[in-house]
Amino acid sequence: MAVLLSTKAHTMEDWKAALLAVDPSLEIRLFPEAGAPEDIEAAVVWTAHDMMELRRYPNLRLIVSMGAGVDHLFRPPGPPPGVPVARLVDTRLTQGMTEWVLLNVLRFHRQDLEYRDQQARRVWHELPAPETSARHIGIMGLGELGSDAARALRALGFPVMGWSRRPKQVEGVETFHGPDGLLAMAARADMLVCLLPLTPQTRGIINARLLGAMKPCGYLLNAARGGHQVAADLLAALDSGHLAGAALDVFEPEPLPPDSPFWSHPKVILTPHAASITIPASAAPQVVENIHRAREGRPLINLVDFAAGY
Ligand SMILES: NC(=O)C1=CN([C@@H]2O[C@H](COP(=O)(O)OP(=O)(O)OC[C@H]3O[C@@H](n4cnc5c(N)ncnc54)[C@H](OP(=O)(O)O)[C@@H]3O)[C@@H](O)[C@H]2O)C=CC1
Ligand SMILES: O=C(O)C(=O)CO
C-alpha cells in the first residue's frame, strides 16, 4: 500500500523525506505519479488538490491536510464519502502563528505605523506611550492557535477576550460564544484577531456590522482565511478612520492580485499567507501515526468534524 503526497512541487520532496524519516517502510508516491489507484491507502494533500480526483482510489482510508485548515478539502465536491479527514495540530505551526500575532499586536500597540510615517517625513516626535493593560484584545477562535496566542498576550499584560462556537474556559481569558457573544466582545475590543476556521458559518464574518461594533480607532488582524473578510467593508472601515490599521496574512483570491488596493494601503500590513508555515519534519510524526492507526483500525488523532466543517 502507498501514501500519496500532493502539494507544491518544491515542498513535495521535503514531505517525502520527513515521512520516511519517521517510517522508512512507507511507500510514498508523488502526485500526479500515483501509480495503480488501488495501491493508495492515504492521501496527504494541500490546497490545490482536486477532491474529485481522490475518488479514484478505492482503498483510500485516510485524508490528511498538510495544514491546520481544512476548508480546501470541503470545497465542492468535498472529501470522498466515508473517508475520514485529519488535520495538523503542531507545536511549530502554533508557535509560528503566535509569533505573527505578537508581532502585529505589538506593532499596532507601539504605534509603529505612526513612527514609520514620522521616519519617512524625518519627524522627531515622541508619541504618548500606552500600557498593555489598557489595550483589550478580542480573539475570534479559541482553538489550538487562538488559545496559544491568548496565553502569550496575557503574559504581556493585555486583557484578552476570546470567542468560540461552544462555551469554553481558558485561564485568564474572558470568554464569549455564539453570534451575540461576538458583537459583545467586539464592542469592548481595541484589537480583533481572527483565528477561525473558514466554514459556511464564518465566511464573511469580518464585515461592516462587526467592524462597526468595534470601538473607533481599533485594529483588525486576520491570519485565518481571506474568505473571512469582506474586502470592501474592511477598506471602507480603514478609509473612514474607524479602523486605525489592519494586519492581513490571508486574502481571497491568493495570490493577491497586483491591482488590489490592499497592497499599497498606508494602514495595511500585509504578509503573503506566511503567518505560520507547516514544517514537514515537525508535522510528520502525527501524520505517520495516523497512517498506522488507519491501517490497524485504531481511532485517529486530530480528526475533522464533518458536521462542524473544521
Ligand atoms: N495564515 C496561516 O499561516 C495559518 C492559518 N491557519 C488558520 O487558522 C485556523 C484555526 O486553526 P486552529 O486554531 O488550529 O483551529 P481549531 O479547530 O483548533 O480552533 C477553531 C476555533 O474556532 C472556533 N469556531 C469555529 N467555528 C466557529 C463559529 N461558527 N463561531 C464561533 N467560533 C467558531 C472553534 O470553536 P470551538 O472551540 O467551540 O470548537 C475553535 O475555538 C485554521 O482553520 C486555518 O484556517 C492555520 C495555520 C496557519
Ligand atoms: O495550516 C494552515 O491552515 C495554513 O494556512 C498554513 O499556511
Side-chain angles (χ1 to χ4, degrees):
M1 298 303 283
V3 176
L4 181 68
L5 295 185
S6 174
T7 182
K8 292 173 202 148
H10 68 281
T11 54
M12 207 101 93
E13 287 296 339
D14 290 349
W15 269 99
K16 181 177 175 182
L19 295 178
L20 288 175
V22 181
D23 180 353
S25 75
L26 288 177
E27 175 161 350
I28 310 276
R29 309 244 172 107
L30 306 185
F31 186 79
E33 310 293 327
E38 55 278 14
D39 290 352
I40 304 299
E41 60 174 336
V44 184
V45 301
W46 192 227
T47 49
H49 201 86
D50 172 10
M51 284 298 106
M52 206 61 204
E53 200 275 334
L54 289 184
R55 285 167 167 70
R56 288 182 53 229
Y57 308 111
N59 297 317
L60 189 66
R61 50 185 157 215
L62 171 66
I63 299 170
V64 183
S65 168
M66 285 179 179
V70 291
D71 45 296
H72 59 106
L73 300 175
F74 285 101
R75 278 195 301 257
V83 181
V85 172
R87 71 187 192 102
L88 297 186
V89 175
D90 176 62
T91 50
R92 298 279 294 273
L93 198 59
T94 303
Q95 186 185 331
M97 183 58 79
T98 296
E99 289 171 7
W100 186 93
V101 171
L102 288 180
L103 171 71
N104 288 296
V105 164
L106 288 175
R107 183 199 306 280
F108 294 140
H109 171 64
R110 294 301 302 256
Q111 304 157 103
D112 197 49
L113 292 185
E114 291 80 351
Y115 280 124
R116 287 319 108 225
D117 175 55
Q118 287 189 189
Q119 182 178 352
R121 293 183 290 114
R122 298 174 185 243
V123 172
W124 185 271
H125 173 64
E126 196 179 285
L127 298 168
E131 293 194 25
T132 54
S133 60
R135 196 87 82 169
H136 293 74
I137 319 273
I139 301 184
M140 300 161 63
L142 265 189
E144 296 293 332
L145 305 182
S147 335
D148 194 69
R151 276 187 286 272
L153 291 165
R154 278 294 306 145
L156 289 173
F158 290 103
V160 180
M161 303 174 282
W163 182 65
S164 51
R165 186 167 60 91
R166 298 160 291 190
K168 192 160 193 173
Q169 291 191 337
V170 177
E171 201 187 335
V173 177
E174 186 182 353
T175 54
F176 299 78
H177 68 277
D180 296 343
L182 178 59
L183 292 180
M185 181 175 85
R188 291 181 32 219
D190 299 294
M191 295 191 200
L192 278 182
V193 181
C194 181
L195 292 174
L196 287 166
L198 183 62
T199 66
Q201 289 71 39
T202 64
R203 174 168 284 282
I205 200 162
I206 302 171
N207 54 28
R209 186 160 180 247
L210 177 68
L211 299 171
M214 289 178 74
K215 296 185 214 168
C217 300
Y219 296 90
L220 186 276
L221 289 77
N222 184 15
R225 287 292 182 264
H228 288 123
Q229 69 218 8
V230 178
D233 292 3
L234 189 46
L235 286 164
L238 288 163
D239 290 340
S240 72
H242 183 66
L243 270 188
L248 306 173
D249 183 59
V250 284
F251 299 89
E252 215 174 66
E254 291 178 1
L256 185 64
D259 61 352
S260 165
F262 285 122
W263 282 111
S264 55
H265 200 290
K267 293 183 181 172
V268 171
I269 298 292
L270 187 156
T271 43
H273 199 142
S276 190
I277 297 168
T278 301
I279 297 166
S282 178
Q286 65 181 280
V287 176
V288 173
E289 172 70 21
N290 257 342
I291 292 168
H292 291 168
R293 284 173 179 243
R295 261 184 208 162
E296 294 154 16
R298 289 187 287 130
L300 301 174
I301 54 171
N302 305 330
L303 260 189
V304 170
D305 172 351
F306 276 48
Y310 67 97

